[in-house]
Every structure is written in structure tokens, then in C-alpha cells.
Amino acid sequence: MLLVRLLLLCAIVYILFLVLKSLVLGRKGKSPDATQLGEAMVLDPQCQTYVPKSEAVSREGKYFCSEECAQRYLAARA
Ligand SMILES: [Zn+2]
């Protein structure tokens, strides 16, 4: 029964290869926003909006979409 197991193993390896291949091709086809921009998105806890980290306003370790949101958030928390 060793030959059967060997064939079964080959089949599993082949299926895994096909799955991996389709995953790689699938990634090439699509363009994920995060990796395409090459920039992290941060969540504004005040208005629940995602903004690029470079455009975000940083206050006390949190990121906001604008100075207004930062002030509102910190005022509400105080
Ligand atoms: Zn905001």
C-alpha cells in the first residue's frame, strides 16, 4: 500500500501547488489599496474615518483626520 500513499501524497502536493499558484495570480490581478499606496491608514476615533498616516493629525498617540476632530475628541474625553 506504499505506492498508493505515495500517489496520494503526490496528488496533495499537486493540489497545494495549484492553490498557491492561483493565490499568487489572484494577488497580481487585484491591487490592494494598502500595499499600492505603500502607506498605513489610521482610524480617526472621533468621526470613524480612515485617513493616511501622513495626512493625519497626531494627538496623544492617536490620529485624527483634522485638527477639529482632535480637539473635539480630547475635549469630550477631558
Ligand atoms: Zn475626523
Side-chain angles (χ1 to χ4, degrees):
M1 295 307 274
L2 192 71
L3 192 71
V4 176
R5 281 189 183 181
L6 206 71
L7 281 171
L8 206 69
L9 194 73
C10 283
I12 289 165
V13 169
Y14 184 64
I15 289 164
L16 279 172
F17 171 73
L18 286 179
V19 169
L20 284 172
K21 197 178 162 187
S22 69
L23 280 174
V24 170
L25 289 174
R27 277 184 194 170
K28 273 185 184 173
K30 292 175 187 175
S31 53
D33 294 339
T35 51
Q36 197 177 31
L37 292 168
E39 189 172 44
M41 300 294 280
V42 289
L43 178 66
D44 181 333
Q46 176 62 30
C47 64
Q48 307 295 314
T49 305
Y50 281 97
V51 283
K53 207 169 183 178
S54 63
E55 291 175 30
V57 177
S58 179
R59 287 288 181 281
E60 295 183 13
K62 286 188 166 54
Y63 293 95
F64 304 90
C65 69
S66 62
E67 186 68 39
E68 197 185 347
C69 271
Q71 285 175 1
R72 276 188 196 175
Y73 182 81
L74 295 173
R77 209 185 54 171

